[in-house]
Amino acid sequence: MTTIHQPPRESGTEAVRRLPAAIDGTGKGSLRTVLPVHLVVRGTTGPRRTRL
């Protein structure tokens, strides 16, 4: 199964950075943040192997 790895530390850091503004209502609603991600290609799916 191919997945996208999202950096948990950076995601958490960004969430905590925005938390005070969200609590006191001074946040600007929906802000867009782009964090680095990378594709993780795994060989866990594919056609069934046949036994000989």
Side-chain angles (χ1 to χ4, degrees):
M1 178 182 297
T2 300
T3 61
I4 300 292
H5 172 75
Q6 298 174 325
R9 182 178 298 269
E10 289 86 350
S11 297
T13 299
E14 184 62 22
V16 170
R17 188 183 70 75
R18 291 183 181 196
L19 188 58
I23 291 172
D24 68 17
T26 61
K28 296 183 179 182
S30 177
L31 295 177
R32 183 177 174 163
T33 300
V34 178
L35 296 174
V37 298
H38 68 272
L39 188 65
V40 179
V41 179
R42 299 184 173 114
T44 56
T45 61
R48 183 177 174 181
R49 295 182 192 171
T50 59
R51 293 184 183 189
L52 296 176

